[in-house]
Amino acid sequence: MPALPLIGKFLPSSVPLMARPSYRRELTAALTSSITIAMLEPGVVAVLAKLVFNVSDLAFATIIASQMFANLTSLFWTRLAKGRRKGPVMSAIVAATCVLVATIAVLPTSGWGPTLLVAAIVVGRCFVAGLLTVRSIVWRANYRRAQRARITGRLVLLASVLFAVSPLGVYAMLDWRVDVFRVMYPLAAVVGFVGAASLWGLRVRREKHLLDHDRGVASSREPALLSRSGRPHNARTILLEDRDFRHYMIWQFIAGCANMMGEAAITLAIIDLAREAGTAEFTASVLLNTTITTVMVVLTIPLWAKLIDRVHIFEFRAVHGALWIVAQLGNYLAVVYGGLWWIAIPRAIQGVMFGGGRLAWQIGHNDFADRRLAGHYMGIHQTLTGVRGFVAPFIGVGLLTGFGTVEAGGSAWSVLGLTGFSGIGDSVFLVTTALALAAWLGFCAEALRVRRERRAAG
């Protein structure tokens, strides 16, 4: 009967009374719309793009990067949500994502089909970025600091289970019949609409005060929060005035570049090795790219959640960042000295890292942000994630395979003018290992400083 207590931990009755209404609606959304979003996960849909739509390496890198550079739209979503109830905004975003997922089913696999597929994925990932931006505001308002990671960790964990299981089932069927995606993608979209309906009625604690702040209306209880210049806060003033957050963004940027370069390169390497193996290439690609890592996310999120609730985000990253180094070095050893299935080992390590990373990425900025500025801080974090996402995956694929040419309009166009560069092959993972090491040392230095300041303050 151990399964029953485990299920009980995810029920609304397991969270504090004040958080239950919000948690109940988010739980429904996690169990439904996560299936839809899973169909847009780069490690999943990139397999469809490469093996069915036969996209170019540049288009492939764009798909992998889309999850990251879509975050460039985060400040747009912050402005869009400003002065509006957050539940209906999240609901509309999920509904739009469902429409994009359903659209993929009708695209031709040749001609303009591959281009439209890439466009649909990019737009869909922008919608997902918007959902994360607005959701961070809701989580900051509805869940207390001491419980936030454990409550939100349950939602992330459930979503991760669906990210692992649902694509594997769909892509296993693709090994049986390649055009089955034309049925499965619309079904995933229909399920997602249930989550959109649930989020429509989501309530945010003290939302009236948040809306008043958004509209520039001060109250006696919460006066307007201004920068040192006396003006409302924006990305520039926050980065200039908040030294700790600025340093966090610097080291996070370096670590993120290592991760994005490595993910793009290893995803392409796995697909190529699975294609060479010639058996169940869809299943093997999704299993190694997504399922193994996501299973490890599910297993480790509860442990990471306990740690992140107890320590400052710098201290968390000092522990967590060591895994980035091990995972990137493991990619190199597996690809060079092992083979397709040896890659499962570093992918499992990467999954452990993702378990903590997903929590830290979504709530870590709250260790720096005032409640009224949580959306701004998350917007900055997402925008900088988008900046590195706009560059790092392309560099990762380029270093792996070289910068070739792209066919467009009947002509061959050079990529960045570097058509003579043939790449460094698997050594790309040594580059990502070095970047991960540099970021980890930076986080360790910041964690030591935070501890010294805490002791000095008594």
Side-chain angles (χ1 to χ4, degrees):
M1 300 293 288
L4 291 179
L6 181 62
I7 293 174
K9 291 181 179 181
F10 294 91
L11 296 177
S13 58
S14 67
V15 304
L17 185 63
M18 293 293 290
R20 288 179 191 175
S22 171
Y23 179 79
R24 185 177 292 108
R25 288 186 176 276
E26 291 204 70
L27 179 64
T28 301
L31 291 171
T32 53
S33 59
S34 295
I35 296 175
T36 309
I37 295 173
M39 296 298 104
L40 289 176
E41 282 293 292
V44 173
V45 76
V47 177
L48 179 73
K50 196 68 176 176
L51 296 180
V52 177
F53 287 78
N54 195 31
V55 300
S56 67
D57 285 347
L58 180 62
F60 177 87
T62 302
I63 292 171
I64 296 297
S66 64
Q67 182 174 15
M68 284 74 80
F69 71 66
N71 289 295
L72 285 171
T73 64
S74 61
L75 292 180
F76 161 79
W77 294 111
T78 300
R79 288 193 296 269
L80 180 69
K82 189 174 183 179
R84 293 182 171 89
R85 288 183 54 226
K86 305 305 182 281
V89 172
M90 292 170 65
S91 176
I93 292 172
V94 171
T97 305
C98 294
V99 173
L100 261 296
V101 169
T103 300
I104 292 174
V106 300
L107 296 178
T109 57
S110 59
W112 281 98
T115 302
L116 292 174
L117 173 67
V118 174
I121 294 168
V122 169
V123 174
R125 292 309 311 184
C126 288
F127 286 138
V128 175
L131 179 64
L132 296 178
T133 300
V134 182
R135 189 173 67 178
S136 73
I137 302 172
V138 173
W139 285 359
R140 178 67 172 81
N142 283 357
Y143 309 124
R144 297 182 184 277
R145 172 64 177 87
Q147 304 160 334
R148 189 178 301 133
R150 274 170 283 183
I151 294 175
T152 60
R154 296 171 192 178
L155 298 171
V156 174
L157 192 151
L158 287 172
S160 298
V161 170
L162 294 170
F163 284 172
V165 174
S166 51
L168 186 62
V170 172
Y171 280 66
M173 294 180 69
L174 283 173
D175 281 316
W176 164 64
R177 181 164 177 162
V178 76
D179 61 352
V180 75
F181 77 93
R182 299 194 183 280
V183 176
M184 302 307 295
Y185 267 70
L187 287 177
V190 170
V191 173
F193 278 112
V194 176
S198 178
L199 290 173
W200 184 266
L202 180 68
R203 292 183 178 275
V204 178
R205 291 180 62 196
R206 302 178 70 188
E207 187 164 36
K208 183 180 183 302
H209 293 288
L210 290 175
L211 295 178
D212 285 345
H213 181 267
D214 285 348
R215 296 162 184 156
V217 179
S219 69
S220 58
R221 295 179 62 185
E222 291 187 301
L225 191 63
L226 302 176
S227 66
R228 292 172 190 167
S229 65
R231 297 177 179 178
H233 280 281
N234 55 37
R236 181 176 179 275
T237 60
I238 288 172
L239 289 173
L240 284 175
E241 297 178 7
D242 193 333
R243 180 198 64 176
D244 287 352
F245 184 65
R246 182 172 66 248
H247 288 183
Y248 181 61
M249 289 294 94
I250 290 171
W251 299 119
Q252 187 67 23
F253 194 92
I254 296 172
C257 283
N259 183 53
M260 293 175 185
M261 289 170 60
E263 278 300 289
I266 197 64
T267 300
L268 183 56
I270 288 170
I271 292 174
D272 287 343
L273 288 171
R275 178 183 284 167
E276 291 174 7
T279 56
E281 55 189 353
F282 288 100
T283 305
S285 296
V286 172
L287 183 65
L288 289 171
N289 275 321
T290 303
T291 304
I292 288 176
T293 56
T294 309
V295 166
M296 297 310 296
V297 167
V298 171
L299 294 176
T300 58
I301 274 182
L303 300 177
W304 288 122
K306 291 179 181 178
L307 178 62
I308 203 171
D309 274 341
R310 292 200 312 266
V311 302
H312 190 277
I313 189 63
F314 278 139
E315 297 172 297
F316 178 85
R317 288 294 191 186
V319 175
H320 178 256
L323 290 175
W324 298 22
I325 304 168
V326 176
Q328 295 303 322
L329 183 59
N331 284 338
Y332 176 78
L333 296 174
V335 172
V336 174
Y337 300 107
L340 178 64
W341 295 109
W342 281 98
I343 297 175
I345 297 174
R347 294 307 287 165
I349 298 171
Q350 187 82 345
V352 176
M353 186 273 288
F354 280 157
R358 288 187 181 180
L359 282 177
W361 190 86
Q362 294 183 73
I363 67 175
H365 63 282
N366 288 311
D367 279 357
F368 309 99
D370 181 276
R371 181 178 65 87
R372 291 163 289 177
L373 294 177
H376 290 280
Y377 274 70
M378 185 59 174
I380 294 169
H381 194 176
Q382 283 190 279
T383 299
L384 291 176
T385 301
V387 170
R388 58 182 176 261
F390 199 74
V391 178
F394 297 97
I395 295 177
V397 171
L399 289 176
L400 179 69
T401 65
F403 295 96
T405 58
V406 177
E407 295 292 332
S411 302
W413 301 80
S414 66
V415 179
L416 303 180
L418 298 173
T419 54
F421 178 65
S422 58
I424 61 175
D426 301 328
S427 295
V428 63
F429 298 114
L430 295 179
V431 176
T432 58
T433 301
L435 289 173
L437 175 61
W440 176 68
L441 292 174
F443 282 127
C444 287
E446 296 292 346
L448 289 174
R449 180 178 60 80
V450 166
R451 289 174 186 172
R452 286 197 302 268
E453 291 177 354
R454 185 186 299 139
R455 285 197 296 267

